[in-house]
Amino acid sequence: MRSIEVKNFIEKVGRKLLEDAHAEYIVVTQGKQGMTLFSNNSILNLPTFAKDVFDVTRGRRHGHCSVVLGLERGLGPLPEACILANHAAGYVVSQLGCVTCTRENPPPGNNSHSSR
């Protein structure tokens, strides 16, 4: 379990980034802890979906790209895109070697791969 000090630090930094960037949202990726989505109104902690981790190569990058792809493809609000990203990143780190998520090979547990 994460210490209260670490959680408080992340929340402080996330709020500061949100303010300094004049952004609507800030997403902080936290590896095996998942992601935290900051907005002016809320803080949403999104857990990882990784069960077994074999290879962390490309996990973060895959997560970032999946957020952008989800938004670009009209997945919905940012929290839904972050959930997609956590599924995708969790899948790729649970596989050995270089793997990808595609429409034909989506991350398990994700039903958002429509034909949009």
Side-chain angles (χ1 to χ4, degrees):
M1 180 150 213
R2 297 185 82 170
S3 74
I4 297 298
E5 294 82 21
V6 171
K7 184 178 179 194
N8 289 341
F9 176 75
I10 290 169
E11 288 182 7
K12 181 179 178 181
V13 169
R15 288 194 182 282
K16 179 75 169 141
L17 286 170
L18 193 66
E19 180 183 324
D20 289 353
H22 303 285
E24 188 174 345
Y25 296 101
I26 293 286
V27 177
V28 176
T29 59
Q30 300 174 63
K32 67 182 179 180
Q33 301 300 324
M35 296 179 179
T36 302
L37 174 61
F38 293 87
S39 73
N40 288 325
N41 305 344
S42 66
I43 299 173
L44 181 60
N45 293 301
L46 302 163
T48 183
F49 292 100
K51 303 240 185 303
D52 298 310
V53 176
F54 296 109
D55 186 352
V56 296
T57 308
R58 295 174 202 81
R60 183 178 300 137
R61 204 170 312 144
H62 213 87
H64 293 164
C65 291
S66 296
V67 168
V68 173
L69 180 63
L71 292 173
E72 171 63 26
R73 300 298 292 165
L75 179 62
L78 188 56
E80 290 182 26
C82 289
I83 291 169
L84 168 69
N86 272 349
H87 276 287
Y91 175 71
V92 299
V93 300
S94 69
Q95 306 298 307
L96 291 174
C98 182
V99 296
T100 60
C101 296
T102 64
R103 184 173 300 181
E104 295 76 28
N105 184 34
N110 175 43
N111 298 321
S112 61
H113 58 280
S114 68
S115 60
R116 290 186 240 190

